[in-house]
Amino acid sequence: MMSKISAGLERAFAARGFAEPSVEDLRDAAGVSLRTLYKYAPSRADMVLAALENRHQRYLSHVFDGLPDDAEEATDTILARVGIWMATETSHGCLFHAAVAADPGSDPLHRLLERHKAEVATKASAATGLAAAETDLLVIIEGLTQAWPLHGDAAIDAAQRLGRALRVSLA
């Protein structure tokens, strides 16, 4: 039940932001009664966290599952998948950053943002064989996320060039 609720909440917040959807809108997006929604997510803050946890798992799966074994090909694939995510899931930037911007005093949101970005960096460095370059890879991925709304596929191409240049610089 919680996965259904979380998925619905994620869709609602991704489409309408964190301030606009009413509780009734969130209930409808989750496809449950108000009582059930509050049973699983007793506050709006809990609803946001549930939505972002769902988003976190979906993003990691989308970007990192079934990558090629070749490290250079894996780098290009990761960055292409980030671009696909931007095109299909959110063209407005990172939902985690948007959540923190909407509630900057929330420690749980800050911790979730930090965990999400750390896991992305760790998985990227492991998949690409660039163990010493977690921060570098995260900067490339974050740059792609921010540049994609303005530059689309050109941002993917640029990120892939940067990924290849990073590999050469560390060789």
Side-chain angles (χ1 to χ4, degrees), residues 99-165:
V100 169
D103 189 1
S106 170
D107 288 337
L109 281 177
H110 280 278
R111 285 192 301 273
L112 180 56
L113 170 66
E114 290 171 8
R115 180 171 59 88
H116 172 69
K117 300 303 180 181
E119 286 186 39
V120 168
T122 299
K123 286 183 170 289
S125 69
T128 62
L130 298 170
E134 280 188 16
T135 301
D136 306 73
L137 289 165
L138 184 61
V139 167
I140 292 169
I141 292 168
E142 289 294 294
L144 172 55
T145 301
Q146 294 304 310
W148 192 92
L150 297 172
H151 301 286
D153 289 343
I156 299 168
D157 294 339
Q160 288 173 330
R161 282 192 305 277
L162 290 170
R164 289 184 210 114

Side-chain angles (χ1 to χ4, degrees), residues 91-108:
S91 60
H92 306 294
C94 176
L95 196 63
F96 294 87
H97 284 293
V100 169
D103 189 1
S106 170
D107 288 337

